[in-house]
Amino acid sequence: MQVIDLSEYAQFKEDEKVLKLLHDSPSWRIINFNFEAGQELPVHSHDVDSEVMILVLEGEGYFIDGEREVEAKPGSMLISKVSEPHGVKAKTRMRVLVAIAPPI
Amino acid sequence: MQVIDLSEYAQFKEDEKVLKLLHDSPSWRIINFNFEAGQELPVHSHDVDSEVMILVLEGEGYFIDGEREVEAKPGSMLISKVSEPHGVKAKTRMRVLVAIAPPI
């Protein structure tokens, strides 16, 4: 087993969100995104069969899909087809875990 | 997008861990396990090609594989092939998110 301590990946940048690739395999890609307040993963989609999960680890913000803004806090989890619009907007400094299965 | 609030699944039982199925699709199965102190997901494996991720949401315990016990706290994440031994043991009341891709 491989054990990752997510606290070691808590880096932030003033000008852009920080992406940390944690794992990549035929099953999935697992990434940590770190946002300063106001930064976002813009609403987007890709024409593939995969699904995406986004779990809030720290901080607060919103899950967005171009129509709705749903409040997101630690323990809030978005699940979406990658082919459907999805995104994240940070209200405070915010960390999320993103997994895409299978990876795209 | 589907948004899940994991705090709604925080149920525990004195006699056995509680499993909450959150999502099941061709991409993966996502489950919340809730342990009282001392409860465990015993070390096990299955002869399939999938991978498993276990992320600690709350509480403290250990990731176990029959040889090692690695301390696990919020933000600790285990990644393992499902075919390799893996398990969890709770030291305190503990919640983990488990994902298996592809589902088995």
Side-chain angles (χ1 to χ4, degrees):
Chain A
M1 62 179 174
Q2 173 194 9
V3 177
I4 292 172
D5 179 355
L6 289 172
S7 69
E8 294 176 1
Y9 296 87
Q11 283 97 43
F12 299 85
K13 277 190 182 170
E14 281 304 320
D15 53 338
E16 182 54 286
K17 62 184 174 292
V18 175
L19 274 65
K20 299 285 187 180
L21 178 65
L22 302 173
H23 183 74
D24 204 3
S25 76
S27 287
W28 45 18
R29 182 172 301 130
I30 302 176
I31 310 166
N32 165 220
F33 282 35
N34 299 318
F35 303 95
E36 290 285 12
Q39 293 177 348
E40 63 178 56
L41 172 65
V43 174
H44 67 290
S45 61
H46 302 283
D47 187 20
V48 295
D49 259 344
S50 298
E51 292 189 349
V52 57
M53 179 201 83
I54 305 178
L55 173 70
V56 180
L57 301 169
E58 298 173 21
E60 290 176 30
Y62 305 93
F63 295 134
I64 54 179
D65 66 3
E67 295 186 352
R68 290 184 300 158
E69 287 197 353
V70 180
E71 286 197 17
K73 58 184 196 304
S76 300
M77 185 168 71
L78 171 155
I79 297 175
S80 174
K81 294 182 185 300
V82 173
S83 60
E84 293 174 354
H86 60 282
V88 178
K89 195 162 70 174
K91 187 163 76 175
T92 67
R93 182 177 273 207
M94 187 186 188
R95 302 188 66 203
V96 304
L97 187 73
V98 177
I100 301 149
I104 61 166
Chain B
M1 60 180 176
Q2 174 193 7
V3 177
I4 292 173
D5 178 355
L6 289 172
S7 68
E8 294 176 2
Y9 297 85
Q11 283 98 42
F12 300 84
K13 276 190 182 171
E14 282 302 322
D15 53 339
E16 183 53 287
K17 62 183 174 293
V18 175
L19 273 66
K20 300 286 186 180
L21 178 64
L22 303 173
H23 183 73
D24 204 3
S25 76
S27 288
W28 45 18
R29 183 170 301 129
I30 302 176
I31 311 166
N32 166 220
F33 282 36
N34 299 320
F35 303 95
E36 290 285 13
Q39 293 177 347
E40 64 178 54
L41 172 65
V43 175
H44 67 289
S45 61
H46 301 283
D47 188 20
V48 295
D49 259 343
S50 298
E51 293 189 347
V52 57
M53 180 203 81
I54 305 178
L55 174 70
V56 180
L57 300 169
E58 297 173 20
E60 290 176 32
Y62 305 92
F63 294 133
I64 54 179
D65 66 3
E67 295 185 352
R68 290 186 299 158
E69 287 198 353
V70 180
E71 287 196 18
K73 58 184 195 306
S76 300
M77 186 169 70
L78 172 152
I79 297 174
S80 175
K81 293 180 185 301
V82 173
S83 60
E84 293 175 353
H86 60 281
V88 178
K89 196 162 68 174
K91 187 163 76 175
T92 67
R93 181 176 273 206
M94 188 185 187
R95 303 188 67 204
V96 304
L97 187 73
V98 176
I100 301 149
I104 61 168

